[in-house]
Amino acid sequence: MTTTEFQVTGMTCGHCETSVRDEVSKLPGVENVNVSARTGALTVSSTDPVDPDAVLAAVSEAGYTATPA
Ligand SMILES: [Cu+2]
């Protein structure tokens, strides 16, 4: 299990968190997603290291912008 951290901008509430969590959870190998609208922190736990670009694309799909942290 590995965890990868990102910083997300644009989230304001729990619905934003859910949108990000739903999209990132779809990525292969992702086991757990922790996201906070308050801090912008996104932590992705996965069986193998995730492709950061895939996570950034998934967050973008949800309507927000992420950068590796
Ligand atoms: Cu929101």
Side-chain angles (χ1 to χ4, degrees), residues 12-13 15-16:
T12 55
C13 70
H15 292 108
C16 302

Side-chain angles (χ1 to χ4, degrees), residues 10-19 37 64:
M11 295 186 297
T12 55
C13 70
H15 292 108
C16 302
E17 294 174 347
T18 302
S19 301
Y64 308 95

Side-chain angles (χ1 to χ4, degrees), residues 4-67:
T4 317
E5 310 226 329
F6 300 86
Q7 193 66 32
V8 180
T9 55
M11 295 186 297
T12 55
C13 70
H15 292 108
C16 302
E17 294 174 347
T18 302
S19 301
V20 170
R21 193 180 303 113
D22 283 353
E23 285 300 329
V24 176
S25 295
K26 291 179 190 167
L27 297 174
V30 170
E31 303 248 307
N32 192 49
V33 178
N34 247 296
V35 62
S36 166
R38 190 175 57 81
T39 64
L42 167 64
T43 305
V44 181
S45 302
S46 52
T47 47
D48 295 305
V50 282
D51 175 2
D53 287 340
V55 175
L56 302 190
V59 173
S60 171
E61 188 68 32
Y64 308 95
T65 305
T67 51

